[in-house]
Amino acid sequence: MDDDHGDGQALTGTHPMDRAAFIKANTLLTAPSHVPEIVLHLADEALPLWQKTEEELGEAGLPPPFWAFAWAGGQALARYILDDPSLVAGRRVLDVGAGGGIAAIAAALSGASSVRANEIDAFALEAIALNITANGVSVDVVSGDLLGGEADADVVLAGDIFYERPLAERAFAFLRRAQGAGATVLIGDPNRTYLPADSLIVVATYEVPVPLALEDADVKRTRVWRLA
């Protein structure tokens, strides 16, 4: 690895076309198990893809390829929205920590007036763009860390975002501010370690098939929550 590339800048030197080509070459365009209405560029296994990301693009210190999997929380959110489009129809939607963009795409398919999908990982941003195109929807892809600011949305979606304490604390504060500004906040989560469940209300429960290599079971009981 070139010593000039620190961890924090590992992705910035990779041309967007290289990322798009890499994603297409190492994933399959397929429907997630719980949301057959949507197709995503998905990988079969996490570790080989992670290793390939570093080896083929020549950059170490890349974040795990979370964008290449339809995580349980995102699938639950997408399912909930597709089953009740009135939740987002005619409203401005923000999907924060969007991963591959499944919840954002579900919102666009359900008649949201505008949808933004936010991520900090350059590969995720490229994957979202490819997934948007594959589903024929209009979604704005927004890069950068939004958690310190305001949501500026009518509906805020957050799937599988409570897996690390610092991120969970910042995310929860952001979601509270969004709620205080009048937004509906929906969280998709299979009870990850730092989920603030005591401050949430369950609105739907699903049994979501997931890759066993990524989770501790091949089916995760996953809930959609609202802020209390």
Side-chain angles (χ1 to χ4, degrees):
M1 185 185 80
D2 187 338
D3 289 340
D4 290 339
H5 287 254
D7 287 357
Q9 309 200 357
L11 292 172
T12 59
T14 304
H15 192 279
M17 289 304 294
D18 294 338
R19 291 193 290 269
F22 180 87
I23 291 167
K24 289 179 179 179
N26 291 281
T27 60
L28 295 174
L29 188 61
T30 187
S33 55
H34 210 63
V35 193
E37 299 93 330
I38 292 174
V39 291
L40 303 172
H41 287 83
L42 300 176
D44 289 333
E45 297 181 73
L47 185 58
L49 179 61
W50 192 355
Q51 292 171 334
K52 263 192 163 185
T53 305
E54 295 189 339
E55 291 168 2
E56 295 194 12
L57 299 177
E59 297 178 0
L62 297 180
F66 295 132
W67 50 267
F69 303 92
W71 296 88
Q75 288 201 60
L77 276 175
R79 182 74 273 146
Y80 187 60
I81 291 165
L82 289 170
D83 288 346
D84 186 359
S86 66
L87 292 162
V88 299
R91 306 179 78 188
R92 300 171 302 141
V93 177
L94 170 65
D95 183 7
V96 64
I102 186 172
I105 292 168
L109 289 170
S110 298
S113 61
S114 66
V115 184
R116 290 177 292 147
N118 167 241
E119 262 291 351
I120 60 173
D121 178 354
F123 273 90
L125 294 165
E126 195 65 41
I128 294 169
L130 292 172
N131 292 335
I132 290 166
T133 298
N135 289 277
V137 295
S138 177
V139 174
D140 292 326
V141 183
V142 180
S143 65
D145 185 344
L146 302 185
L147 297 183
E150 303 300 323
D152 191 25
D154 303 313
V155 181
V156 180
L157 309 175
D160 287 292
I161 203 169
F162 292 102
Y163 57 89
E164 292 178 349
R165 186 188 297 276
L167 173 61
E169 291 174 351
R170 296 185 66 235
F172 187 63
F174 173 80
L175 297 174
R176 275 293 192 206
R177 289 197 302 277
Q179 182 194 42
T184 298
V185 176
L186 296 174
I187 297 165
D189 198 285
N191 209 25
R192 304 264 180 225
T193 303
Y194 299 107
L195 178 75
D198 291 346
S199 300
L200 307 176
I201 298 170
V202 176
V203 295
T205 302
Y206 304 99
E207 301 292 332
V208 183
V210 292
L212 185 57
L214 296 177
E215 302 281 11
D216 54 2
D218 56 5
V219 175
K220 295 289 285 187
R221 176 164 293 176
T222 306
R223 295 177 174 89
V224 175
W225 317 70
R226 284 180 185 264
L227 284 179

